[in-house]
């Protein structure tokens, strides 16, 4: 990591050209920056998904210990931007230091947290070694570990097993995750559920999305959290669908594709691909708060180039295609779609959210498809059948609400760590 440090800093500079937040407070990546008062609960959420998942846990921790400040750390610009909304008076936010001995030592010396909570899969050997030396217990919350990640971990067993063994506890999403975490070396593992079931979509954003769809009078299919490598197959499948529908029917309105890339640095590239595919495009950023105008309502594709509006996109759509599942990337969070009453069509690759995907399919809130041609056709077919779509929406809401309570269970489990450290 010391040898890689110049390359890592150069990469941050390069990313800051498109996402300026990466160029902010770079010294924090080396363990410098403003110090915080000792005794905070340190919570690390590397990116956007982990930060959103952490929100109900932060609320639950504040209910039990309102006097204990939160120290939020992140690794990506999207995570840091989302984390700003979780901060209250007395809290602090900074970048997680790079995993070099000096950077992590300085981090613990400056902040002196009472407890560390790492979200989902973040295990850094130097960071955990330094936490152990500083006497800071570290818990892996909402923990998950896929078969693929376990195989990678076992390939670096001599490096990662001591780090896993140093964890005070892991709070796993599922029993399968718990078994794999134990194989990786975590000693104390409890199964407490998935925090994503405790996320509640913004009613205001849901209303915004519903207002967009109300003025359309045509079906809307959402490509949600779309990943690199899935763009061309999606656009080919969408263009082919429009051509088939134009050739076989004059009564049905042509559907609208609402394409939302997972990463903001891809917005411009995806826009270029859409226009190169010969499809008419309107970007969400062009209509502001006024809502889509006449040109937007006539377009074939909307590009969702905004941050923090996923509930609005789901509320606007009749059905969603799950990004990351049509290429071998493991899929994205489908629980948010279900909470927004949006049925989901999945590709074959959902290993990052296997149990959630299987549960949604069993509940009638999602369907598994072999490829994008099948998924696009099935999503449009559901959108054309209002009764079936309404039943799937009800099933999605029911599924999203049935496994709530993980945040409260985790806060209760963390009680003895926080109580013992704050008492010292």
């Amino acid at each position: 990591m010391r040898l890689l440090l110049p390359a890592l800093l150069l990469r941050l500079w390069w990313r800051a050209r498109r996402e300026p937040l990466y160029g902010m407070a770079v010294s924090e990546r080396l363990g410098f920056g403003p110090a915080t008062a000792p005794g905070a609960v340190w919570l690390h959420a590397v990116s956007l998904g982990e930060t959103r998942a952490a929100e109900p846990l932060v609320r639950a921790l504040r209910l039990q210990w309102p006097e204990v400040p939160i120290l939020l750390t992140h690794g990506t610009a999207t995570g840091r931007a989302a984390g700003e909304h979780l901060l209250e008076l007395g809290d602090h936010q900074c970048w997680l230091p790079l995993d070099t001995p000096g950077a992590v030592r300085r981090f613990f010396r400056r902040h002196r947290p009472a407890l560390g909570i790492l979200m989902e899969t973040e295990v850094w050997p130097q960071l955990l070694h330094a936490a152990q030396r500083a006497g800071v217990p570290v818990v892996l919350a909402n923990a998950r570990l896929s078969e693929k990640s376990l195989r990678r971990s076992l390939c670096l067993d001599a490096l990662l097993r001591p780090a896993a063994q140093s964890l005070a506890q892991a709070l796993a999403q599922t029993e399968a995750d718990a078994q794999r975490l134990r194989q990786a070396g975590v000693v104390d593992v409890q199964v407490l559920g998935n925090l994503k079931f405790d996320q509640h979509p913004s009613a205001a954003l849901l209303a915004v999305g519903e207002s967009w769809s109300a003025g359309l009078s045509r079906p809307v299919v959402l490509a949600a959290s779309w990943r690199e490598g899935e763009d061309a197959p999606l656009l080919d499948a969408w263009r082919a669908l429009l051509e088939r529908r134009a050739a076989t029917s004059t009564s049905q309105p042509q559907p609208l594709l609402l394409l939302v890339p997972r990463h903001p640095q891809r917005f411009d590239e995806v826009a270029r691909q859409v226009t190169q595919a010969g499809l008419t495009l309107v970007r969400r950023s062009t209509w502001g708060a006024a809502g889509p105008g006449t040109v937007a309502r006539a377009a074939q594709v909307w590009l969702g180039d905004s941050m923090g509006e996923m509930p609005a996109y789901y509320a606007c759509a009749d059905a969603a295609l799950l990004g990351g599942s049509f290429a071998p990337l493991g899929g994205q969070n489908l629980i948010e779609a279900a909470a927004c009453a949006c049925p989901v069509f999945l590709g074959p690759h959902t290993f990052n959210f296997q149990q959630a995907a299987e549960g949604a399919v069993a509940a009638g809130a999602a369907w598994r498809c072999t490829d994008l041609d099948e998924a696009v056709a099935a999503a449009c077919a559901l959108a054309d059948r209002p009764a079936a779509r309404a039943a799937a929406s009800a099933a999605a809401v029911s599924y999203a609400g049935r496994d709530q309570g993980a945040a409260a269970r985790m806060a209760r489990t963390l009680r003895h760590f926080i109580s013992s450290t704050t008492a010292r």
Side-chain angles (χ1 to χ4, degrees), residues 138-214:
V138 178
V139 175
L140 194 64
N142 213 41
R144 61 182 175 90
L145 190 65
S146 68
E147 287 285 355
K148 184 177 181 180
S149 296
L150 175 62
R151 288 194 297 270
R152 289 177 178 172
S153 173
L154 294 176
C155 288
L156 298 170
D157 199 54
L159 179 66
L160 294 178
R161 185 168 293 272
Q165 289 173 337
S166 73
L167 289 167
Q169 198 170 55
L171 310 179
Q173 296 182 15
T174 70
E175 184 56 47
D177 289 314
Q179 292 174 6
R180 289 189 285 267
L181 287 162
R182 293 185 187 106
Q183 284 181 261
V186 184
V187 177
D188 186 354
V189 185
Q190 293 189 43
V191 180
L192 297 184
N194 191 337
L195 285 171
K196 290 183 170 69
F197 284 103
D198 287 346
Q199 292 176 290
H200 300 292
S202 161
L205 285 174
L206 292 176
V208 167
E210 290 166 359
S211 72
W212 294 345
S213 64

Side-chain angles (χ1 to χ4, degrees), residues 351-404:
F351 52 81
N352 284 338
F353 301 92
Q354 195 61 40
Q355 184 163 320
E358 292 171 358
V361 170
W367 292 265
R368 180 83 65 179
C369 299
T370 57
D371 56 31
L372 274 164
D373 287 314
E374 179 187 348
V376 163
C380 287
L382 179 67
D384 287 334
R385 296 157 50 211
R389 200 275 180 196
S393 296
V397 172
S398 175
Y399 165 71
R402 75 183 188 191
D403 289 325
Q404 294 179 353

Side-chain angles (χ1 to χ4, degrees), residues 204-399:
L205 285 174
L206 292 176
V208 167
E210 290 166 359
S211 72
W212 294 345
S213 64
L216 283 173
S217 302
R218 58 193 289 209
V220 180
V221 174
L222 167 65
S225 297
W226 216 244
R227 301 284 297 275
E228 189 173 4
E230 297 179 313
D231 304 322
L234 171 67
L235 296 174
D236 288 343
W238 192 257
R239 190 174 55 240
L241 174 92
L242 295 183
E243 290 171 355
R244 287 196 305 271
R245 288 173 72 109
T248 59
S249 173
T250 56
S251 60
Q252 286 183 315
Q254 289 284 47
L256 169 69
L257 175 64
L258 175 49
L259 175 52
V260 182
R262 171 69 175 170
H263 299 114
Q265 65 267 27
R266 297 188 60 240
F267 289 161
D268 292 341
E269 171 59 25
V270 173
R272 281 192 294 271
Q273 291 193 52
V274 173
T275 55
Q276 288 170 3
L279 298 166
T280 57
L281 171 74
V282 170
R283 298 175 70 139
R284 158 68 184 103
S285 57
T286 62
W287 72 65
T294 303
V295 174
R297 289 196 292 272
Q300 293 170 314
V301 180
W302 285 356
L303 178 64
D305 60 344
S306 64
M307 298 299 297
E309 289 194 318
M310 279 309 299
Y313 293 134
Y314 281 122
C316 180
D318 294 291
L321 312 172
L322 185 68
S325 70
F326 293 94
L329 300 169
Q332 300 298 146
N333 173 25
L334 57 86
I335 301 168
E336 183 179 18
C340 296
C342 187
V344 180
F345 291 84
L346 317 173
H349 308 287
T350 53
F351 52 81
N352 284 338
F353 301 92
Q354 195 61 40
Q355 184 163 320
E358 292 171 358
V361 170
W367 292 265
R368 180 83 65 179
C369 299
T370 57
D371 56 31
L372 274 164
D373 287 314
E374 179 187 348
V376 163
C380 287
L382 179 67
D384 287 334
R385 296 157 50 211
R389 200 275 180 196
S393 296
V397 172
S398 175
Y399 165 71

